[in-house]
Amino acid sequence: MLEKKFLSRLMAGVAVAAVGLSSAHAAEKLRFSHTDNPGGSRQAAAELFAEKVAEYTDGRYEVQIYPSGQLANDPKAIELLQLGGIDFTVSATGSYATHLPSLNLTAMPFLVDTYEQGWELYDNSEWLQGEFQKLPEKGFRVLSTWEAGFRSFTTNEPLTSPKDAESMKMRVFPNDMIRWSMEAIGFQTVVMPITDVYLAIQQGIVNGQENPVDTIRSLRFYEVAPNITLTRHVYSPLPLTVAEKTWQSFSEEDQAAVLKAATESATFSRQLVQSSVDSQLTEMQEAGAVVSVPEIGPFREAVQSVYAKAKDVYGAEAVDNILGDAAAIREALPAQN
């Protein structure tokens, strides 16, 4: 009888120890928030990133993805990064400018003309890399840059020239450069989170919004603003960021693993978005959208005042640095006609 009790206690002890070992090896969960829909390119890249983080850390970390702004809109997600409330987010560069205003300069109009030029700017611009290196002291850091593409317009009335803009209200996100450009073109601007835009257009609060084709399709803005006008006025990629608290909690080995996953997911994101634009436009046209390419000259002329305004606010040196980097890249990687 005593032997049976001893054996049962021994087995119970083994079971507890096994549970302890199991929990010790359970993956630590990391939270990734973004505002794209589950069918969008950001979600696809996030899934690849999560898969690679698990693979390269030997299962020590599990990235849990929260799409569609479930946890926060873009500005709030960046605040949560600073507080350690989430671990990763991906958002337009201008969204981070609230915390480092000089990043607004990346949203100056018509900086680059092609994806390849944009990739070179974000990966190798000496000025931009220097600005990114200031972000850890703000509470987050850039791991890599995902793709969204070039920003264009969706409106509920045709937009053929800046003259048409004068009667329209345009939604903008909280970014001075975008707002200045929209106002220079002729729009009245209304600042609101992207998660509110569809309903705002539907209700007539604004006449439209501007975003890359991938975002227009993912968030279905063409349903309520069916005039898609391909101005490609701003190159708008998506820095993938990690909370600095989270980054510092990683071992050097895990930092290298997460960085590798971020780099590979960026390559995937860039290829996916670049290769999908034509089919996405066709899909939206088949759903009733009207796609047009306007004469770009009048739009370029309308925004000339933005460069001077940027120098007044951010200093001529910073503006000249990024304009110089962009000009050198355009010369080295000319657009193919």
Side-chain angles (χ1 to χ4, degrees):
M1 186 65 116
L2 284 172
E3 187 176 336
K4 284 185 179 179
K5 284 184 179 179
F6 174 78
L7 282 171
S8 66
R9 285 180 183 172
L10 180 63
M11 293 305 292
V14 169
V16 169
V19 170
L21 282 170
S22 174
S23 63
H25 290 286
E28 182 174 338
K29 292 176 171 52
L30 301 171
R31 303 209 298 175
F32 188 148
S33 171
H34 69 80
T35 55
D36 199 11
N37 278 345
S41 69
R42 261 174 275 187
Q43 177 69 13
E47 288 171 359
L48 178 70
F49 175 68
E51 175 189 321
K52 294 299 182 182
V53 167
E55 178 184 343
Y56 297 148
T57 64
D58 297 321
R60 287 188 293 278
Y61 291 96
E62 177 190 345
V63 177
Q64 297 180 319
I65 305 163
Y66 297 86
S68 305
Q70 290 175 35
L71 298 183
N73 61 33
D74 289 306
K76 190 65 179 175
I78 296 166
E79 290 178 17
L80 287 174
L81 273 187
Q82 295 175 300
L83 298 170
I86 61 172
D87 302 287
F88 303 101
T89 196
V90 62
S91 187
T93 317
S95 298
Y96 299 102
T98 302
H99 308 283
L100 185 64
S102 57
L103 291 180
N104 272 321
L105 296 177
T106 63
M108 283 192 292
F110 301 108
L111 274 182
V112 295
D113 302 317
T114 69
Y115 286 100
E116 290 78 10
Q117 291 172 5
W119 299 340
E120 183 69 16
L121 181 71
Y122 270 74
D123 291 348
N124 295 311
S125 161
E126 185 177 342
W127 177 82
L128 186 52
Q129 289 302 313
E131 297 309 291
F132 281 168
Q133 288 166 16
K134 298 173 184 177
L135 291 174
E137 66 188 38
K138 306 293 183 183
F140 53 91
R141 68 173 57 214
V142 172
L143 294 174
S144 66
T145 303
W146 292 4
E147 190 57 87
F150 289 83
R151 302 180 82 89
S152 288
F153 294 104
T154 44
T155 52
N156 56 11
E157 297 291 338
L159 175 66
T160 59
S161 72
K163 184 69 179 172
D164 294 329
E166 293 174 9
S167 61
M168 296 187 189
K169 291 183 179 178
M170 177 61 53
R171 173 267 174 179
V172 295
F173 67 99
N175 178 273
D176 283 346
M177 199 66 60
I178 294 290
R179 182 171 55 81
W180 295 343
S181 294
M182 296 304 100
E183 290 171 354
I185 289 170
F187 294 105
Q188 299 175 59
T189 56
V190 180
V191 177
M192 70 174 64
I194 198 168
T195 45
D196 295 345
V197 173
Y198 187 102
L199 190 60
I201 298 174
Q202 196 172 45
Q203 294 178 338
I205 297 169
V206 292
N207 296 98
Q209 60 84 52
E210 47 85 53
N211 256 302
V213 167
D214 183 74
T215 305
I216 292 168
R217 174 192 164 274
S218 171
L219 298 183
R220 309 180 77 87
F221 291 139
Y222 62 92
E223 293 179 344
V224 287
N227 296 282
I228 302 173
T229 307
L230 298 176
T231 48
R232 293 165 54 94
H233 50 273
V234 171
Y235 177 60
S236 186
L238 306 163
L240 167 65
T241 48
V242 59
E244 187 65 13
K245 289 179 181 178
T246 303
W247 181 255
Q248 294 301 335
S249 74
F250 294 149
S251 65
E252 286 188 12
E253 179 186 5
D254 287 338
Q255 286 179 349
V258 170
L259 196 56
K260 184 179 180 184
T263 301
E264 291 183 8
S265 62
T267 299
F268 170 83
S269 171
R270 287 172 169 179
Q271 292 173 347
L272 175 63
V273 171
Q274 183 186 33
S275 65
S276 299
V277 170
D278 289 345
S279 62
Q280 289 174 339
L281 288 170
T282 298
E283 178 187 328
M284 291 188 285
Q285 283 177 301
E286 290 173 350
V290 177
V291 178
S292 62
V293 180
E295 185 182 347
I296 299 299
F299 288 93
R300 285 185 181 270
E301 290 167 20
V303 299
Q304 288 303 306
S305 62
V306 173
Y307 305 109
K309 196 165 188 175
K311 289 184 178 183
D312 288 342
V313 174
Y314 298 99
E317 183 178 1
V319 173
D320 287 341
N321 281 338
I322 188 170
L323 288 178
D325 284 354
I329 289 166
R330 289 197 307 273
E331 184 176 352
L333 299 170
Q336 300 298 314
N337 294 323

